[in-house]
Amino acid sequence: MTASAEDGYLFTHPLTRDAAYQLLPPSLRARMHDLAAQSLEALSGNALDASSPEIAAHLHDAAAATDDALQRGALLLREIAACERGAKWLVRQHRHEPARALLEWVRANAAAAARERLAAATSIAKSYEITGHLRESERIALDAAGGDPLDPAGADSDLRAPALLVAGSVALLLGAVDAALARFETVA
C-alpha cells in the first residue's frame, strides 16, 4: 500500500485491498456502496447508460452488507431498477450475455414484483431469440407464459401475452407454424 497526499491510499495488490475492505464494519460497507450508487445515479440521471450495471453492483453489495431489513428492501428495489436499465443499455450495445445475467438476477429475485420477473423472463427469451438460441428462447418464453400457452389456469393474459408472442415468433423460426398460430391466437 502506498500513500499520496493527493490520491489518498493506493493498494498495490488486490488481496491487500480485499483484506482492508473486509476489516470495514458491514454497516460502513453498506453505506459506502449506497453512496457510490447514489453518486452514479446523480451523474447518470437514471438514463440508460454504462453506469447502470455498476450502480446495480453497488446496490447489490450494499443490500448484502446491511442488517436493516427495511433498508435492504429499499436497496433491492433500486437494484432491480438499475438491473433493468443496465440490461436495456447492454442490449442496445449488442451485449446480450451480460444483459441476460442482469435480467436473470431480476427474474430470480423474490423482491421483484411478478410483473418485473415476467418482463425479465420475456426479455431473456427475446435475447436468446436474437442471438439464435431458439430452443432456449422458446423454453424460457413458454415458462414465462405459464408453461402450456393454452392452459387457461396459467398467468393472467396481459402478463403472459409478450412471452407468448416471443414463443410464437420462435416457433415460426423453427418451422412450427401450427404451434406459432396457436400461440398468436391465444394472445388475440
Side-chain angles (χ1 to χ4, degrees):
M1 180 169 66
T2 60
S4 149
E6 295 173 18
D7 299 328
Y9 290 101
L10 293 174
F11 294 98
T12 57
H13 195 282
L15 292 176
T16 306
R17 182 199 61 224
D18 292 346
Y21 178 80
Q22 291 302 319
L23 291 173
L24 295 173
S27 60
L28 182 56
R29 286 197 306 257
R31 183 72 183 131
M32 289 173 56
H33 282 294
D34 187 23
L35 287 172
Q38 287 177 30
S39 297
L40 290 168
E41 287 169 332
L43 290 171
S44 71
N46 285 331
L48 295 179
D49 65 15
S51 66
S52 296
E54 188 176 352
I55 291 168
H58 279 296
L59 292 169
H60 181 80
D61 290 343
T66 187
D67 291 330
D68 182 336
L70 189 59
Q71 182 184 15
R72 185 179 312 106
L75 290 165
L76 286 173
L77 292 177
R78 287 175 48 215
E79 180 183 359
I80 290 165
C83 283
E84 291 168 339
R85 286 190 316 273
K88 286 178 185 175
W89 181 80
L90 288 164
V91 165
R92 289 180 183 175
Q93 304 300 311
H94 306 286
R95 295 175 56 203
H96 290 274
E97 193 170 325
R100 286 193 299 262
L102 290 174
L103 292 168
E104 284 290 358
W105 184 88
V106 173
R107 179 181 174 204
N109 194 312
R115 183 174 295 277
E116 291 168 322
R117 289 192 308 271
L118 183 56
T122 302
S123 295
I124 292 165
K126 186 66 179 168
S127 174
Y128 275 121
E129 177 189 8
I130 290 167
T131 58
H133 298 92
L134 300 180
R135 294 289 182 201
E136 186 67 6
S137 173
E138 183 177 46
R139 183 189 66 74
I140 292 170
L142 290 175
D143 183 54
D148 180 2
L150 303 177
D151 177 15
D156 293 336
S157 61
D158 69 319
L159 293 176
R160 65 189 206 141
L164 283 169
L165 291 174
V166 172
S169 172
V170 170
L172 277 177
L173 291 170
L174 291 171
V177 176
D178 290 339
L181 288 175
R183 292 167 186 166
F184 292 144
E185 287 172 354
T186 303
V187 174

